[in-house]
Amino acid sequence: SENSEALFGEKDVAECMKRIEVIDFHQEMDIGGIKVTPYRAGHVLGACMFYVDIGGLRVLYTGDYSRTPDRHLPGADLPPVPPHVVIVEATYGVSPHSPREERERRFTAMVHRVLTRGGKVLLPVVALGRAQEVLLILEDYWVKHPELKGVPIYQASALAKRAMTVYQTYINVLNSDMKAQFEESNPFVFNHVNHLTNSNGLDGVGPCVVLATPSMLQSGLSRDLFESWCGDSKNGVIICDFAVQG
């Protein structure tokens, strides 16, 4: 309610920040006899699963994870000794997924189809993780399809733009393909992607692709663009991330 006190304030957050310790994947920590080891979750850059051993009882605690490698991250690690209990995010717990290559083919075909009919493509995304993956897919597709050279791709999240520096810094946690690419050039320097600060930058622009937040279209730029473009049947929106019904 409006009269209830907040559970924590800015000072509490500052005190928590002082207590943060940086550890590495697979580095076991002993906290009062409880052994904790982080493993790669394969979800977003730096995402961890925590393997906790309490007197011989082994628990794996994680949020989202993926065992399937994507364009820039390896799949989740498998702890060497199976846990007794798994506590896990279950958003897609009962949802089958088609192979990544098939999903990418369907995605790029839909984008191409909308652009060919003269429309604009709206891609509502989460700023961290999915945005970078989608940009890698689009950049690769544009390179392989020179007929799209004149069609702009816009990335409209300031957070996603700032995150690129992080992705370019922590090369060691990317997958082997990305590490190999860094030896020749920086795969996160996109030749076909422009940063967009606001929707006014799209005035007079023809067919284009725009990545905008939030992913569920509830507010912000993605919602503004959706409402502006949805009246034209040439345009299209592709939900690139998790979204609740309605």
Side-chain angles (χ1 to χ4, degrees), residues 120 122 199 202-203 221-232 235:
K120 298 178 175 67
L122 173 61
S199 59
L202 296 172
D203 292 344
L221 183 58
S222 64
R223 178 59 176 257
D224 292 343
L225 291 176
F226 176 76
E227 292 183 351
S228 176
W229 293 353
C230 68
D232 190 336
N235 300 327

Side-chain angles (χ1 to χ4, degrees), residues 170-191:
Y170 292 94
I171 303 169
N172 60 308
V173 296
L174 300 176
N175 63 30
S176 56
D177 290 342
M178 292 297 285
K179 291 176 183 177
Q181 287 186 50
F182 265 101
E183 294 181 3
E184 300 181 8
S185 61
N186 187 337
F188 288 108
V189 174
F190 301 112
N191 295 319

